Amino acid sequence: MFSHCSVLLLSMFSLTPLSLALPFEQRGFWDFGIDGDGGGLMTMMMRDEEEGSAVEELPPPEFPVCPFGCHCQLKVVQCSDLGLTEVPKNIPAETKLLDLQNNRISELKENDFKGLANLYALSLVNNKISKVHPRAFIPMQHLQKLYFSRNLLTAIPKNLPPSLVELRIHENRIKKVAEGTFSSLGIMNCIEMGGNPIQNSGFEPGAFKGLKLNYLRISEAKLTGIPKDLPDNLHELHLDHNEIQAIELEDLSRYKHLYRLGLGNNRIRMIENGSLSYLPNLRELHLENNRLSRVPRGLPDLKYLQVVYLHSNNISQVNVDDFCPRRFGTKRSFYNGISLYANPVQYWEVQPAAFRCVNDRLAIHFGNYKK
Ligand SMILES: *[C@@H]1O[C@H](CO)[C@@H](O)[C@H](O)[C@H]1NC(C)=O
Ligand SMILES: *[C@@H]1O[C@H](CO)[C@@H](O)[C@H](O)[C@H]1NC(C)=O
């Protein structure tokens, strides 16, 4: 449930067990298995079918249709790297996975996906799409995964299918998320929209209205603060590599369900007292590569906090109560990792008791500070 996007994908292919705390990596599932016999994809489809309990009928024994140049096999239609300038015609109606990545498609037209009611995943990664007809996605009643990264979109397309679970729209030219963009959607697992030139003012009020979302990443954008109107049930929020300078008291008050908060590689100097107290479920906090001159206040009150990244800041002192509560027993989970290296703190001056609620001394990463 609290997996991140990429881990979810990997675990679908049974390649890697669920692992914790790895930084997000952009990875398409097309990387796996599709070049061979499509075994990984089939496993995924079969699992989905088990879940959906639909028993597939054998396809009728007629002459198979496949768009020119594409490979069609087991309901997977692969048309990548063909120099296509538009979505091909004659895509078989039973197609579940359609791979159009690495082409030169510039537009999605109203009828491009007509009849593809069974489509489960669509990859349009690395095309030149700047225009999407507002009805282009209407036929795809069962689309769960839409991979739209590396295109030329300036807005998130409207009327996304209500069945959508995962949207990757990394590295486009999105500057604005309009009110009601996600109003057709109910519950989603993941939206990855990093690498877009979006500023805080680019989120219209109500941009995420009605959406329940597990994981959101808006890294490498132009955010100067934590956006205030994101979905309120987020479990993971990653805003690394932005221009955030401060966390103010109310900034996090909406995101009470966060398990993981990623704010590394920003310019944070100030975290207002009390702002972290809105996150009682927090497990993991990333604040590395910022400009903090002290350990943020309020960490001892986060009962479940286990991992804190604070390396590469300007922290010159660690006080005895910075991490651990005074009263023994109030912390439910001890720390598994605290990184403090590349700070001007002189670690031999830190009292060992500062880490009395850490599982293992090896969990504290001090390293050497080099001027
Ligand atoms: C923040 O809280 C600490 C005590 O936890 C207090 O010493 C400090 O003055 C407070 N700072 C502000 C700006 O309120
Ligand atoms: C680091 O903190 C010290 C005070 O502890 C301050 O004088 C200095 O300007 C800070 N450096 C940066 C780069 O923020």
Side-chain angles (χ1 to χ4, degrees):
M1 176 68 205
F2 305 116
S3 55
H4 44 88
C5 270
S6 55
V7 172
L8 185 78
L9 283 174
L10 291 170
S11 63
M12 281 172 125
F13 291 96
S14 314
L15 291 178
T16 321
L18 213 70
S19 64
L20 271 175
L22 292 169
F24 182 86
E25 278 174 46
Q26 179 75 15
R27 277 178 106 158
F29 66 78
W30 310 100
D31 300 346
F32 307 107
I34 198 162
D35 292 331
D37 58 359
L41 294 165
M42 277 313 285
T43 313
M44 178 174 78
M45 282 163 26
M46 276 149 57
R47 279 203 212 163
D48 285 352
E49 263 154 31
E50 278 165 28
E51 279 164 21
S53 82
V55 179
E56 211 57 41
E57 285 171 24
L58 287 171
E62 58 185 38
F63 187 73
V65 201
C66 188
F68 181 73
C70 304
H71 293 279
C72 302
Q73 190 180 29
L74 304 168
K75 300 178 190 173
V76 174
V77 175
Q78 197 188 6
C79 310
S80 61
D81 304 277
L82 293 175
L84 299 172
T85 53
E86 52 185 36
V87 176
K89 309 273 177 273
N90 304 325
I91 297 165
E94 67 269 20
T95 302
K96 292 210 154 187
L97 294 121
L98 175 56
D99 179 4
L100 291 167
Q101 70 182 320
N102 306 330
N103 282 294
R104 279 181 283 158
I105 300 168
S106 58
E107 184 182 349
L108 300 182
K109 301 192 209 78
E110 177 167 7
N111 294 321
D112 277 354
F113 303 105
K114 204 173 170 188
L116 298 184
N118 296 308
L119 209 58
Y120 166 94
L122 171 61
S123 176
L124 295 160
V125 172
N126 196 23
N127 276 279
K128 307 212 175 299
I129 300 167
S130 61
K131 213 167 144 190
V132 178
H133 190 281
R135 299 184 57 79
F137 295 119
I138 303 276
M140 299 186 262
Q141 299 288 309
H142 295 104
L143 193 74
Q144 293 201 15
K145 293 165 182 276
L146 177 56
Y147 295 164
F148 229 129
S149 300
R150 290 198 263 139
N151 276 283
L152 305 174
L153 294 174
T154 54
I156 294 179
K158 294 213 174 73
N159 302 322
L160 294 168
S163 50
L164 204 64
V165 172
E166 186 178 326
L167 173 66
R168 291 165 181 257
I169 198 156
H170 194 86
E171 285 182 58
N172 276 270
R173 296 181 178 176
I174 298 167
K175 284 190 170 163
K176 191 169 115 173
V177 183
E179 182 187 354
T181 296
F182 297 100
S183 58
S184 61
L185 295 149
I187 302 176
M188 285 183 73
N189 179 50
C190 154
I191 297 178
E192 157 63 73
M193 54 179 291
N196 283 292
I198 193 162
Q199 303 179 344
N200 285 71
S201 56
F203 295 96
E204 286 188 2
F208 291 92
K209 197 167 172 208
L211 182 66
K212 298 249 172 272
L213 181 62
N214 178 41
Y215 175 107
L216 177 62
R217 187 168 193 241
I218 315 171
S219 59
E220 297 163 78
K222 306 239 176 271
L223 302 176
T224 51
I226 294 176
K228 293 201 199 306
D229 207 17
L230 304 176
D232 62 6
N233 70 317
L234 283 173
H235 292 118
E236 286 200 38
L237 176 59
H238 296 270
L239 301 172
D240 51 287
H241 295 88
N242 275 284
E243 297 160 18
I244 300 172
Q245 299 183 10
I247 302 175
E248 285 164 15
L249 186 59
E250 300 293 329
D251 281 356
L252 294 165
S253 63
R254 187 176 166 80
Y255 311 119
K256 295 185 168 63
H257 301 285
L258 282 181
Y259 266 56
R260 260 191 209 134
L261 175 59
L263 291 168
N265 292 279
N266 276 282
R267 300 175 190 169
I268 302 171
R269 278 179 198 284
M270 198 274 296
I271 298 181
E272 201 170 337
N273 271 2
S275 52
L276 296 175
S277 69
Y278 292 103
L279 310 177
N281 297 308
L282 200 66
R283 264 63 171 172
E284 197 176 305
L285 178 60
H286 292 249
L287 284 166
E288 72 278 9
N289 289 296
N290 276 288
R291 297 178 185 172
L292 296 172
S293 55
R294 54 158 301 124
V295 177
R297 301 203 195 263
L299 298 184
D301 300 325
L302 301 175
K303 291 192 176 75
Y304 301 100
L305 187 63
Q306 291 170 44
V307 178
V308 191
Y309 291 86
L310 286 168
H311 58 267
S312 305
N313 275 282
N314 188 26
I315 298 168
S316 54
Q317 209 180 348
V318 174
N319 298 316
V320 73
D321 292 329
D322 275 353
F323 290 99
C324 301
R326 283 197 189 162
R327 243 169 34 124
F328 187 76
T330 54
K331 192 157 171 62
R332 302 283 166 81
S333 319
F334 277 23
Y335 291 97
N336 289 323
I338 296 176
S339 72
L340 281 163
Y341 59 88
N343 277 292
V345 62
Q346 289 170 328
Y347 59 88
W348 58 89
E349 285 184 356
V350 180
Q351 294 183 47
F355 303 114
R356 60 196 177 275
C357 63
V358 176
N359 271 328
D360 180 339
R361 290 208 57 89
L362 293 175
I364 307 157
H365 293 243
F366 259 119
N368 291 319
Y369 177 70
K370 293 194 195 78
K371 271 241 154 153

